[in-house]
Amino acid sequence: MGGMNNLASPIDFLLTRRSVPAKTLTGPAPSDDDLRQMLTAAARVPDHGKLEPWRFAVLSGDAARRLGELTREMGAERDDQTPEKLAKLADGFDTDARIVTVLSTPVDSDKIPLFEQQLTAGCVCLGLVNAALTMGYGANWLTGWIAHDAAFLDRAFGLERPATIAGFIHIGTAPNRPPERPRPDLDAITTWVDA
């Protein structure tokens, strides 16, 4: 895949980056070599204490579809899931894209709080999306109830609290450039403190 989508500079990329809706992603998905490069880039995040409080689980094909089946099975027992919401979440695993599950796996530390370790895993998710986009792929970061449901985490990944899923990063080929969406009003969300 090609470089930075013909952008003149890294800041141009950051100012114009857009996630691609996961449901629109198709094949070809990234090769193992491309994905390894993306994962390497994503792992270069602020990590106070060098704890590496995250892990990757790369899903494709039948492995991803099994996660969709588990989502349907477990979601059918939940009161907060309409058939439409459940289908939307579960169908996202039936894809030609590859799905990198970023697992937030905090470690016991007297120095580094849990919240800070979870933020680091979130940084990994954004780094992975941006790495995929700069390599010419489409990417999207999704979660949902399955990201923090203790029973799902155990059955799907053998995780116990405080571990969670920071994100499911869908990476594939974007059929077209996604439409722009409204962005925050910088003046409404910024306070300049001078004294």
Side-chain angles (χ1 to χ4, degrees):
M1 289 291 177
M4 290 183 48
N5 300 325
N6 299 319
L7 294 175
S9 71
I11 193 67
D12 288 334
F13 166 75
L14 293 172
L15 290 171
T16 60
R17 68 160 297 286
R18 289 187 296 227
S19 297
V20 177
K23 65 183 177 185
T24 67
L25 294 172
T26 63
S31 67
D32 287 350
D33 288 342
D34 279 355
L35 198 52
R36 182 171 289 278
Q37 189 171 16
M38 291 175 206
L39 296 173
T40 300
R44 291 185 64 99
V45 294
D47 180 15
H48 188 192
K50 300 179 196 143
L51 301 178
E52 298 174 8
W54 70 87
R55 295 291 178 267
F56 298 117
V58 181
L59 308 172
S60 53
D62 289 341
R65 283 185 273 286
R66 277 194 300 276
L67 216 55
E69 290 167 12
L70 182 60
T71 300
R72 280 185 191 83
E73 175 190 330
M74 297 185 74
E77 301 168 3
R78 295 177 61 97
D79 294 335
D80 62 348
Q81 292 298 296
T82 65
E84 296 78 21
K85 283 166 74 174
L86 184 56
K88 179 180 177 184
L89 183 59
D91 289 350
F93 292 102
D94 187 13
T95 178
D96 290 331
R98 291 185 89 174
I99 302 170
V100 177
T101 308
V102 179
L103 308 169
S104 173
T105 55
V107 299
D108 288 333
S109 172
D110 294 333
K111 229 175 119 179
I112 317 302
L114 172 66
F115 179 65
E116 191 172 322
Q117 295 184 51
Q118 292 169 327
L119 288 175
T120 296
C123 289
V124 170
C125 292
L126 180 59
L128 183 54
V129 169
N130 283 343
L133 295 174
T134 62
M135 292 177 68
Y137 292 97
N140 199 296
W141 174 3
L142 300 176
T143 54
W145 63 266
I146 56 177
H148 50 82
D149 182 86
F152 184 89
L153 294 170
D154 178 42
R155 286 185 61 188
F157 296 100
L159 294 176
E160 294 180 8
R161 296 286 190 186
T164 58
I165 295 170
F168 295 100
I169 313 302
H170 295 243
I171 306 171
T173 297
N176 47 47
R177 189 166 174 82
E180 187 54 80
R181 66 178 179 85
R183 299 297 173 172
D185 175 356
L186 191 62
D187 291 329
I189 61 171
T190 305
T191 301
W192 301 88
V193 181
D194 297 323

